[in-house]
Structures are given as structure tokens and as C-alpha cells.
């Protein structure tokens, strides 16, 4: 059941879409505390990646589950205008797919993290491995 009003739903979605999303902030904080330094939203790279390590030629993307169509408990389409959301998210997924390999072509590596993984303690091992390998 969709218990949110149209207005509340729009407000919620506007919040999700904004930069500096909460999952991303959590990841950035962890990375910063461990002494790694990065840039944000580097427009010189395809898709202006979220977290960029120029000297390492590495980028970390933090994907919102809803917007990027992750198959997990957090990803539930609104019950109204389902077809609209379906198409919108399919488009995002297609764009992700096309963009994911572009940094590779320039010699960069990409690590994709999902919003729903951020609170999992194992995520930090993956981030460390990615940044130090
Ligand atoms: Zn997810």
C-alpha cells in the first residue's frame, strides 16, 4: 500500500536524488578517516563519478538502490505511476551499464557500492582492498 501522499512522495524522492546522499556520506567519512584523500564529482571523467582518487586512477560510485534499480529489499517501486517509474529506472540502469566501462577505457578502475550495503561491516574490506590493490 502506498501510504504517502503525492506531495510527500515527491519530497521523499527529491531528497533521495540530491547529491551528498547519506550512504555516500557514510562511505566518504570512512575513507577520509582512514587517510585516503579524494575529489568529489569530477566532471572531467565520464558520469562525474562520486568519489575520485586521481593519483590511483580509481573511482567509487555509491548507487541509490531505488534510482539504479538494485534488486534488494530497499528497492520498491511506488505503487502509483508504476509504468513511469519502471521506464525511468530502466533508463538509469541502461545508462549505468553503458557508463560503467567507460572509465576502464581510460585506464581507471571502478568500484560500485550499493546504498543497502553501506551498513554492512564487510563493505569496508572491499573498499580497502580496492584502494590498496
Ligand atoms: Zn540495494
Amino acid at each position: 500500500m502506498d501510504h504517502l501522499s503525492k506531495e510527500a512522495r515527491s519530497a521523499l524522492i527529491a531528497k533521495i536524488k540530491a547529491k551528498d546522499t547519506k550512504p555516500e556520506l557514510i562511505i566518504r567519512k570512512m575513507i577520509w578517516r582512514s587517510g585516503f584523500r579524494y575529489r568529489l564529482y569530477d566532471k572531467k571523467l565520464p558520469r562525474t563519478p562520486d568519489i575520485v582518487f586521481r593519483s590511483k586512477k580509481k573511482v567509487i560510485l555509491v548507487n541509490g538502490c531505488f534510482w539504479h534499480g538494485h534488486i534488494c529489499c530497499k528497492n520498491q517501486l511506488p505503487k502509483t505511476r508504476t509504468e513511469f517509474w519502471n521506464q525511468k529506472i530502466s533508463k538509469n540502469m541502461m545508462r549505468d551499464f553503458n557508463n560503467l566501462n567507460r572509465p576502464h577505457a581510460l585506464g581507471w578502475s571502478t568500484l560500485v557500492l550499493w546504498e543497502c550495503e553501506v551498513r554492512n561491516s564487510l563493505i569496508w574490506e572491499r573498499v580497502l582492498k580496492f584502494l590498496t590493490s
Side-chain angles (χ1 to χ4, degrees):
M1 258 232 317
D2 195 10
H3 59 279
L4 291 175
S5 70
K6 214 171 162 191
E7 287 70 24
R9 170 74 61 192
S10 314
L12 180 73
I13 286 167
K15 217 164 104 192
I16 295 168
K17 206 180 180 182
K19 279 186 177 178
D20 292 334
T21 55
K22 218 176 163 197
E24 194 183 316
L25 286 178
I26 294 168
I27 294 291
R28 269 155 53 183
K29 218 179 257 175
M30 288 196 319
I31 293 170
W32 190 267
R33 280 203 193 125
S34 304
F36 296 104
R37 294 298 174 255
Y38 50 82
R39 275 162 199 256
L40 295 175
Y41 312 119
D42 194 337
K43 291 197 169 57
K44 287 183 192 123
L45 287 168
R47 204 200 145 176
T48 58
D50 302 339
I51 307 171
V52 177
F53 304 87
R54 289 200 141 261
S55 58
K56 296 174 187 291
K57 286 194 134 190
K58 285 175 181 176
V59 301
I60 293 179
L61 306 175
V62 185
N63 281 351
C65 296
F66 176 76
W67 286 101
H68 297 269
H70 198 212
I71 301 166
C72 65
C73 58
K74 282 204 175 246
N75 180 20
Q76 282 174 2
L77 279 180
K79 295 287 188 289
T80 55
R81 303 180 75 207
T82 308
E83 189 50 31
F84 166 81
W85 288 113
N86 234 331
Q87 279 180 17
K88 195 168 179 62
I89 287 160
S90 300
K91 230 192 241 168
N92 283 350
M93 289 170 79
M94 194 63 108
R95 202 179 50 216
D96 286 346
F97 182 77
N98 289 332
N99 283 338
L100 191 58
N101 292 318
R102 285 171 64 192
H104 286 277
L106 303 171
W108 288 65
S109 329
T110 309
L111 177 68
V112 177
L113 302 175
W114 291 95
E115 176 189 358
C116 63
E117 301 174 318
V118 162
R119 299 204 178 268
N120 184 327
S121 53
L122 292 176
I123 203 174
W124 187 232
E125 277 175 38
R126 282 175 58 205
V127 171
L128 264 187
K129 210 170 147 195
F130 175 73
L131 289 177
T132 56
S133 62

